[in-house]
Amino acid sequence: MESFGSSKEFIKGEDIAWETVGQGVQRQIMGYDDKIMLVNVKFDKGGIGEMHKHYHSQVTYVVSGEFELTIGAETRLMKGGDSFYIPPHVMHGAICKEAGVLIDVFSPIREDFMTK
C-alpha cells in the first residue's frame, strides 16, 4: 500500500477546501495517516451518496440533517445525533432527505480520496 504520510496535528476547517464529489455532495478531508482518516461530508437536500462498497471499515456520525441510509439489504432513516457502522465489502449508500453533514471515519485511509 502506498503511504500518504499524515496530516498536520492541528487542522482548521477553514483552511481545508471542500471538494465536490457528486450532485449536492461535497467532502472535506480532515485528519489522516495510513491507518485512519476523518472526512466531513456535506449534503444538500436530495444529494445522493451512490451505492458502493470498499474494503475499509467505516463509522459515521450524523452531525445534522436526515438521511435515508442503506447498508446491505436494510434501509433506515438516520438523523442528527445518530451514527452507523459499515463493515468492509458491504454495499451502502444514502439519500439526503434534509440538508446535513456527516463525519466519516475510515480505517485504513481511503487511498482513492488522496489521488486526483
Side-chain angles (χ1 to χ4, degrees):
M1 181 172 91
E2 181 181 350
S3 176
F4 291 95
S6 65
S7 63
K8 298 182 285 185
E9 285 84 5
F10 297 95
I11 302 151
K12 299 282 221 166
E14 63 194 26
D15 296 337
I16 307 293
W18 286 92
E19 173 187 4
T20 299
V21 293
Q23 177 109 15
V25 184
Q26 294 182 301
R27 80 172 159 231
Q28 188 183 43
I29 297 172
M30 303 301 281
Y32 62 88
D33 67 16
D34 290 339
K35 296 182 186 116
I36 194 166
M37 173 183 264
L38 185 141
V39 180
N40 286 330
V41 188
K42 183 168 41 176
F43 282 80
D44 295 336
K45 183 176 182 176
I48 297 174
E50 298 290 341
M51 290 295 290
H52 66 287
K53 64 181 178 178
H54 43 73
Y55 72 87
H56 313 80
S57 295
Q58 178 178 343
V59 177
T60 297
Y61 176 72
V62 183
V63 176
S64 61
E66 191 171 289
F67 297 84
E68 182 178 282
L69 181 78
T70 300
I71 301 172
E74 192 169 353
T75 300
R76 296 214 181 156
L77 196 61
M78 305 299 285
K79 298 180 181 183
D82 296 339
S83 65
F84 51 90
Y85 165 69
I86 302 167
H89 308 289
V90 174
M91 289 294 289
H92 58 282
I95 299 170
C96 183
K97 298 298 193 175
E98 180 183 312
V101 174
L102 303 176
I103 296 175
D104 290 338
V105 177
F106 299 100
S107 179
I109 187 174
R110 287 291 303 263
E111 307 90 340
D112 54 321
F113 288 6
M114 301 301 288
T115 55
K116 298 203 176 204

